[in-house]
Amino acid sequence: YSERLSITYPHNRGEHWAWVLETILGEWMGLSYDLKPHYEPFVQLDLAGHSFRVDADFLTISEQNWLTPASMPLLPLFEWTLPPLLQTPKTDSLLPVLFGQAEFCIDENLNARLGLDVFGSVFFMLSRYDELVWQHSDKHDRYPGIESFLYKAGVLYRPLVDEYVDLLWKAMNIVWPNLQRQQRSGGVVITSDVDEPYERWIKNPFFLSKGIAGALLKRKSPKIAWRRIRNYLTSQKGNYRFDPNWNFDWYMSLCEQHGLKAYFYFIATPGVKGEDAIYNLEEPRILKLLRDIHDRGHLIGLHGSYQTYRNKNLLSVERKRLQMACDQAGVDQEITHNRQHFLRWRAEITPDCLEEAGFTVDSSGGYADQAGFRFGTAHEFRMWSWVVKQPLKIRQKPLIVMENSVLSPSGMGKTSSQDILHFMYELREKSLSFGGDFVLLWHNSNIRNEADKEILWLLLRT
């Protein structure tokens, strides 16, 4: 078609509509269109003499109920058995309905109506609307995955946004068979948060004494105590081969064997508490590591420290500090990517802080206690600001799996390596099937045995 789509949408919440329409139709589908508001409770797409209406329930909610529990979908969600003409190989034939009705109809003139509120549902998930309504937090002021609406609805482990967009496209193609969308292809994105580039016990005799006490009293392991003493003694001489955390050469080699560039996120503000980093960027071995990462073609980003998630000024200071360290190391990379330490990220404020600090991409978009699709998608997108009620320039690259959320005793209850691999691999395949990115976080400090290495190897292979 040589014409542009003509799109009319409900007149209220214009910035909300413009963002979600541009994300789906413009950025993800690559379509050209013209927008204008109207006073009807639906979105209408017109092209070449045919019309396609999509019901709009969510974004037309009254101001009185907006951001209140009254605006939330009821649980359990109704599951729509998709008619055969809307089914695709990518999606399950049972589709949970967040907003709208389980209906699709088309007349003899190829004018159609979709009852499922695709645009409102996508806004709900990408903006993390429910996290403002319910306002849960754990001891680190993170939003717990098990308290999220998507988890309670049983859809956290499926990319529901991507499924909705796929359904929308399928319906549009019935109305306009010759309409073409841009093809998107994602891949595996491997990342490491450099919380502890080396064991903290080697920092000084005080830390060593704590490490020895922990090994003997807590772990009841003289073997671990001796290994920590040996690592301390040899590291003082510049020999790091006994340090299980200092595995960057192996890590980068693994990525290179799979044709991947890794992202390494560094903390710029050290401290002494358990949630702080104990290294300084200016240490010679850290500067050399930055240079090695860069020379081998991998990428460097900031790991916004524990207190930054609500502090734009500290984020800005840390970004500049890491940039200065890179300059000192002879690294020609601009620091524009970020992931928050401890995944401390709040939808109501953190995106705005990151934008004002000068970042262009954030990849904190996962829950610390649950793997899965926090935003319902494996695709990048511009983030929504609940502060200024409009889209930001900064983009979210959603984190799908952090190894700790699956491997740790407090994680998801996976017991065997086979179960862990199968679960992660399913999330990987769901991400890639929609042309999204499978963003995996595996800390350098959490590769402890051959089983971990084997799982990581299998997840990276193409």
Side-chain angles (χ1 to χ4, degrees):
Y1 297 94
S2 57
E3 308 165 61
R4 294 161 63 90
L5 277 166
S6 175
I7 302 175
T8 49
Y9 63 92
H11 71 284
N12 60 329
R13 302 194 174 100
E15 288 285 357
H16 304 62
W17 281 111
W19 174 60
V20 74
L21 289 166
E22 171 57 24
T23 299
I24 295 173
L25 300 174
E27 184 177 338
W28 288 349
M29 291 188 181
L31 302 176
S32 299
Y33 59 86
D34 297 307
L35 277 181
K36 61 179 180 180
H38 65 182
Y39 287 84
E40 303 292 342
F42 55 79
V43 176
Q44 181 163 313
L45 289 68
D46 289 287
L47 178 67
H50 303 297
S51 294
F52 177 37
R53 291 185 178 183
V54 183
D55 284 8
D57 288 4
F58 176 62
L59 285 174
T60 56
I61 289 171
S62 69
E63 282 299 320
Q64 180 182 355
N65 289 331
W66 186 247
L67 289 173
T68 71
S71 64
M72 295 289 288
L74 296 177
L75 295 174
L77 296 177
F78 177 79
E79 290 192 316
W80 181 16
T81 302
L82 294 177
L85 75 167
L86 289 182
Q87 293 182 18
T88 72
K90 301 175 186 177
T91 56
D92 195 302
S93 60
L94 288 175
L95 188 68
V97 175
L98 292 180
F99 300 98
Q101 304 298 317
E103 298 181 66
F104 177 73
C105 54
I106 186 164
D107 64 22
E108 66 277 5
N109 297 317
L110 289 183
N111 296 309
R113 172 182 166 265
L114 178 64
L116 181 70
D117 181 4
V118 170
F119 299 111
S121 299
V122 170
F123 180 93
F124 175 87
M125 288 184 274
L126 294 187
S127 69
R128 300 314 309 121
Y129 179 93
D130 63 287
E131 295 183 16
L132 273 79
V133 173
W134 284 347
Q135 289 286 322
H136 293 289
S137 60
D138 67 6
K139 65 180 181 180
H140 297 292
D141 196 25
R142 301 174 298 198
Y143 203 98
I146 59 171
E147 297 292 348
S148 70
F149 174 82
L150 296 182
Y151 178 82
K152 291 180 177 180
V155 295
L156 181 59
Y157 307 146
R158 58 190 290 182
L160 198 55
V161 163
D162 298 336
E163 292 184 48
Y164 277 16
V165 172
D166 200 50
L167 171 74
L168 177 68
W169 175 252
K170 181 74 172 178
M172 290 172 66
N173 239 203
I174 294 170
V175 179
W176 300 290
N178 296 323
L179 192 62
Q180 300 292 317
R181 68 180 289 187
Q182 68 181 7
Q183 296 302 311
R184 297 168 64 85
S185 59
V188 176
V189 178
I190 177 67
T191 68
S192 176
D193 296 349
V194 187
D195 299 341
E196 295 199 9
Y198 47 76
E199 287 193 311
R200 60 177 51 225
W201 324 119
I202 72 168
K203 187 70 176 177
N204 53 47
F206 172 73
F207 275 103
L208 176 61
S209 64
K210 289 184 66 176
I212 295 171
L216 294 175
L217 301 177
K218 187 176 180 180
R219 298 201 178 195
K220 312 292 184 185
S221 175
K223 183 178 179 180
I224 292 177
W226 163 240
R227 183 182 58 72
R228 289 175 176 175
I229 294 170
R230 181 176 60 178
N231 184 25
Y232 174 83
L233 295 173
T234 54
S235 292
Q236 304 306 305
K237 301 174 183 177
N239 179 354
Y240 310 132
R241 67 191 180 98
F242 296 116
D243 196 318
N245 294 3
W246 194 261
N247 52 24
F248 297 99
D249 178 67
W250 173 87
Y251 204 125
M252 287 187 280
S253 295
L254 175 68
C255 296
E256 290 155 10
Q257 289 167 25
H258 290 83
L260 300 174
K261 292 183 178 181
Y263 287 80
F264 293 94
Y265 296 98
F266 285 84
I267 298 176
T269 299
V272 295
K273 295 181 180 179
E275 60 265 20
D276 293 331
I278 44 77
Y279 65 94
N280 289 283
L281 293 173
E282 296 76 20
E283 294 175 32
R285 68 188 291 189
I286 301 299
L287 292 173
K288 183 179 183 305
L289 175 59
L290 292 171
R291 182 59 185 262
D292 288 345
I293 290 170
H294 173 69
D295 288 349
R296 293 177 66 162
H298 301 281
L299 303 166
I300 297 166
L302 180 73
H303 198 29
S305 67
Y306 191 76
Q307 299 295 348
T308 58
Y309 72 120
R310 294 180 181 270
N311 190 328
K312 64 183 180 182
N313 294 326
L314 184 53
L315 275 169
S316 182
V317 167
E318 291 190 354
R319 176 173 169 264
K320 292 173 183 175
R321 190 176 293 159
L322 179 56
Q323 190 70 67
M324 290 175 61
C326 285
D327 294 343
Q328 186 178 346
V331 171
D332 184 20
Q333 282 192 39
E334 187 178 0
I335 303 303
T336 58
H337 286 237
N338 173 79
R339 174 176 292 134
Q340 288 302 106
H341 189 33
F342 272 64
L343 298 184
R344 273 187 127 196
W345 188 96
R346 300 295 302 200
E348 62 268 29
I349 187 62
T350 310
D352 299 80
C353 292
L354 289 166
E355 169 134 316
E356 292 196 44
F359 293 97
T360 61
V361 179
D362 177 61
S363 191
S364 307
Y367 294 114
D369 62 327
Q370 292 287 321
F373 300 92
R374 182 174 186 172
F375 296 93
T377 182
H379 289 286
E380 266 193 32
F381 61 92
R382 287 176 64 191
M383 282 193 279
W384 177 257
S385 168
W386 285 108
V387 176
V388 296
K389 310 294 191 300
Q390 63 185 33
L392 300 168
K393 293 179 181 177
I394 186 170
R395 303 176 67 77
Q396 177 61 227
K397 194 178 189 71
L399 172 63
I400 309 302
V401 172
M402 175 176 70
E403 91 287 351
N404 278 331
S405 66
V406 184
L407 296 173
S408 69
S410 60
M412 301 175 63
K414 306 297 177 185
T415 53
S416 70
S417 295
Q418 196 62 37
D419 287 342
I420 291 167
L421 175 61
H422 179 72
F423 176 73
M424 291 183 177
Y425 205 82
E426 275 195 338
L427 294 178
R428 174 192 133 134
E429 292 309 291
K430 288 176 182 176
S431 302
L432 301 182
S433 69
F434 289 97
D437 288 319
F438 175 63
V439 181
L440 171 67
L441 161 56
W442 204 301
H443 296 77
N444 62 287
S445 52
N446 204 24
I447 300 170
R448 295 299 183 184
N449 51 50
E450 291 303 315
D452 290 346
K453 291 182 177 181
E454 183 181 7
I455 292 173
L456 186 52
W457 169 272
L458 291 171
L459 287 172
L460 298 190
R461 70 179 180 179
T462 55

